Amino acid sequence: MKSFKFSAVNNPAEAITLINKNTDAAFLGGGTNLLDLMKEHVALPNEIIDIGNLSLKEIKATASGISLGALAKNTATANHPLIRKNFPMLSKAILAGASAQIRNMATNGGNLLQRTRCSYFYDIATPCNKRNPGSGCAALEGFNRMHAIFGWTRECVAVYPSDMSIALSALNANVKVLSSERERIIPFQDFHILPGAHPEKDNSLQHGELITAIELPKNDFAEHSAYIKIRDRNSYAFALVSVAAGLTLNGNTIQAASIAMGGVAHKPWRALNAEAYLKDKAATAANFAKAAEAEMALAQPLAHNKFKIEMGKKALINALETAFKGNI
Ligand SMILES: Cc1cc2nc3c(=O)[nH]c(=O)nc-3n(C[C@H](O)[C@H](O)[C@H](O)COP(=O)(O)OP(=O)(O)OC[C@H]3O[C@@H](n4cnc5c(N)ncnc54)[C@H](O)[C@@H]3O)c2cc1C
């Protein structure tokens, strides 16, 4: 591992002042992703600013919903009574990720900013535009079973790995960010970005910005929501395909559907075609299947991941059926 300077800070202003002095510095949350990347020589910060002491750990009800502190641990968030009751989809998504030990360390802010698990990104002997801009994409013609079927470019076919973020996308969360100039709120759909020509950038956060909280607006589909994750083994594995779905129902009629997919794109993929199809339709198996068809018709698979189309359809149908049946 490359040597680096280590500082610990006690308030957000101190953290922001320090990071603004050094474009090669990085914040340290739980360290479960950053330290792995440093050990593999993929991330090479020369300074680490430990934000673990900041008092951004509260999970609390607000007038508009619930606020999750950026430094609250994933375990504390998933198990919090307010989350289990009002946002069970989020609780399930977090608990479907990583392992108990990792969730005990991982923070909410760090979870959003975890980097892709593309094996070529981790292998510094191979070209990767995300790790080394302009070097090429080894996954495009390589082994791309885990990779994107939506929104990819020839520059990058990697997928975004966070389970938590797939639920946050379906929940229309907002990310609260502080810099030396201002506080800003980034709608979740605009937080992560598609690769375009610059896959080195995963999200719209700027250097010098600190995530302070994630805000969850109230919704009326807590009892009719689901998170389905399909993976190679039942623990310690990233999603091949995942679906977060919430249904606002009037009897058997779907007033609105909120659906996001994971494991299929460079960002949480909002299933807008499926949502549009389901609006004002009866909640029937036939309509769930047609919604899944409408979404997956847009897929552009790579050489080794055509199976994700059928898997995506089945996961969408399963999530919609589970949401319709309701949480007990
Ligand atoms: C073996 C293994 C299996 C895993 N499986 C899964 C899985 O199945 N599903 C899943 O979703 N995840 C999985 N993970 C990933 C895990 O969820 C992430 O590593 C974790 O959420 C990252 O949080 P952290 O606090 O440790 O982040 P860190 O590693 O501390 O930080 C990650 C990044 O965020 C930045 N950062 C952190 N906090 C802030 C902040 N408040 N403001 C601005 N920048 C910040 C850091 O500078 C760094 O760039 C797995 C990880 C491992 C090691």
Side-chain angles (χ1 to χ4, degrees):
M1 200 192 271
K2 182 181 146 183
S3 62
F4 56 88
K5 182 180 166 192
F6 181 87
S7 335
V9 290
N10 292 311
N11 62 66
E14 207 186 331
I16 291 164
T17 303
L18 262 192
I19 204 148
N20 275 327
K21 289 184 182 157
N22 181 358
T23 51
D24 290 329
F27 291 136
L28 181 74
T32 62
N33 190 222
L34 183 61
L35 293 184
D36 277 358
L37 292 168
M38 289 170 71
K39 286 184 235 167
E40 299 290 338
H41 294 259
V42 175
L44 300 166
N46 60 20
E47 181 176 1
I48 294 295
I49 302 165
D50 183 359
I51 54 174
N53 288 334
L54 303 187
S55 54
L56 299 172
K57 301 184 178 83
E58 208 180 355
I59 296 168
K60 60 178 183 199
T62 62
S64 57
I66 286 173
S67 171
L68 308 175
L71 270 296
K73 300 291 187 181
N74 282 182
T75 300
T77 306
N79 293 333
H80 197 287
L82 282 174
I83 303 303
R84 289 169 72 113
K85 179 166 184 278
N86 300 295
F87 301 93
M89 171 209 290
L90 178 61
S91 184
K92 284 178 191 151
I94 294 172
L95 295 175
S99 66
Q101 292 91 336
I102 292 167
R103 295 192 296 268
N104 288 344
M105 283 304 293
T107 63
N108 291 333
N111 190 311
L112 266 50
L113 297 175
Q114 63 176 288
R115 306 212 69 193
T116 183
R117 293 284 160 165
C118 172
S119 51
Y120 299 101
F121 173 71
Y122 266 79
D123 180 356
I124 61 169
T126 62
C128 170
N129 287 320
K130 185 177 279 300
R131 174 173 30 78
N132 182 13
S135 62
C137 173
L140 185 64
E141 305 296 336
F143 187 55
N144 45 39
R145 175 176 178 270
M146 295 293 290
H147 292 71
I149 54 171
F150 292 121
W152 53 269
T153 59
R154 295 190 67 76
E155 279 71 29
C156 182
V157 296
V159 293
Y160 172 67
S162 160
D163 287 293
M164 178 181 189
S165 293
I166 306 309
L168 292 175
S169 173
L171 292 168
N172 293 312
N174 291 302
V175 185
K176 207 167 166 183
V177 164
L178 187 67
S179 69
S180 52
E181 283 102 49
R182 59 184 173 156
E183 183 170 74
R184 66 177 179 130
I185 303 284
I186 310 174
F188 212 77
Q189 315 320 334
D190 302 332
F191 187 76
H192 298 99
I193 52 185
L194 289 173
H198 289 285
E200 70 274 15
K201 196 106 182 80
D202 296 341
N203 53 61
S204 52
L205 205 68
Q206 306 294 322
H207 184 79
E209 288 187 316
L210 174 75
I211 300 177
T212 55
I214 300 157
E215 295 181 334
L216 302 172
K218 285 179 187 159
N219 66 61
D220 47 14
F221 55 67
E223 285 173 14
H224 290 285
S225 61
Y227 185 74
I228 302 290
K229 177 177 181 181
I230 302 173
R231 46 190 155 171
D232 283 325
R233 56 175 189 271
N234 212 22
S235 171
Y236 236 44
F238 290 89
L240 287 163
V241 172
S242 67
V243 178
L247 295 176
T248 303
L249 295 165
N250 181 5
N252 275 4
T253 303
I254 300 166
Q255 288 183 320
S258 197
I259 311 169
M261 300 183 77
V264 293
H266 194 262
K267 62 180 282 187
W269 185 257
R270 197 63 189 254
L272 297 174
N273 286 288
E275 289 181 6
Y277 179 83
L278 289 169
K279 188 165 170 40
D280 299 325
K281 297 265 183 1
T284 61
N287 280 335
F288 292 157
K290 281 190 187 146
E293 286 286 344
E295 194 59 44
M296 300 314 291
L298 307 173
Q300 292 181 300
L302 300 160
H304 304 115
N305 66 7
K306 290 190 182 66
F307 71 94
K308 284 195 180 185
I309 296 180
E310 198 53 32
M311 186 178 274
K313 282 183 202 165
K314 295 212 161 105
L316 278 164
I317 293 168
N318 187 340
L320 291 166
E321 282 174 349
T322 307
F324 179 58
K325 275 184 218 144
N327 295 297
I328 35 172

